[in-house]
Amino acid sequence: MPDDCLFCRIVRGVVPATLVAKNDDCIAFRDVNPQAPTHILIVPREHISSLDAAKDPEMIGKVAFMAAELARAEGIATTGYRTVINTGADAGETVHHLHMHLLGGRVLKWPPG
Ligand code: 5GP
Ligand code: ZN
C-alpha cells in the first residue's frame, strides 16, 4: 500500500470518502467530482497501479461484480449504467490505483469524448 497513493489512503481511512460498500477485496465510494447522478468508484484494497498491471483475473471480476450490485442498489440497473476503467494517458487515467467507474442516472452519450 504505497503511502503516496490517494486510493490506498482512502482504503486505509486516512483520506475521507463517502463509502457505499466494502468487502474483504474491494471498497466503493462516491466520486468527489461526479459526472452523473450516480458516480461511484470501485477499487481493490490491494494496490494495483492500472488494468495493465493486473495479474489476477478474479480480482477484476470481483470489482465488476460489486459494480453490478451497486447499480441495483442505486436503482439504475433497469434504466442502464456504464462501467469504465480508464487505462493510461490517452484514456485520461489520473489516479494510478485500479478503479472502475460506475456511472448512471442519466442518458450517457456514446462514443465518449
Ligand atoms: P480516472 O481519471 O483516473 O479514471 O479517475 C479518477 C477519479 O477519481 C476522478 O473521477 C476523480 O474525480 C476522482 N477523485 C480524485 N480525487 C478524489 C478524492 O480525493 N476523492 C474521491 N472520492 N474521488 C476522487
Ligand atoms: Zn494504491
Side-chain angles (χ1 to χ4, degrees):
M1 278 197 174
D3 284 345
D4 57 350
C5 172
L6 174 63
F7 288 175
C8 281
R9 290 164 70 87
I10 289 177
V11 167
R12 288 205 305 275
V14 177
V15 169
T18 305
L19 290 187
V20 290
K22 59 181 176 179
N23 62 25
D24 288 348
D25 303 300
C26 313
I27 71 165
F29 50 90
R30 296 203 187 273
D31 197 294
V32 77
N33 182 23
Q35 301 301 311
T38 291
H39 189 172
I40 292 171
L41 303 173
I42 300 97
V43 314
R45 288 180 182 273
E46 178 189 354
H47 180 83
I48 302 166
S49 58
S50 78
L51 184 60
D52 188 51
K55 303 273 190 285
D56 178 4
E58 274 186 36
M59 177 57 72
I60 309 304
K62 287 172 178 173
V63 168
F65 194 80
M66 181 178 274
E69 288 182 322
L70 285 170
R72 289 188 287 273
E74 292 281 308
I76 57 172
T78 51
T79 46
Y81 60 90
R82 185 169 295 162
T83 49
V84 175
I85 299 176
N86 292 320
T87 305
D90 277 4
E93 183 188 2
T94 58
V95 178
H96 302 291
H97 178 133
L98 177 64
H99 53 281
M100 180 175 282
H101 297 253
L102 168 65
L103 295 145
R106 67 171 173 84
V107 175
L108 300 162
K109 293 201 175 78
W110 191 265

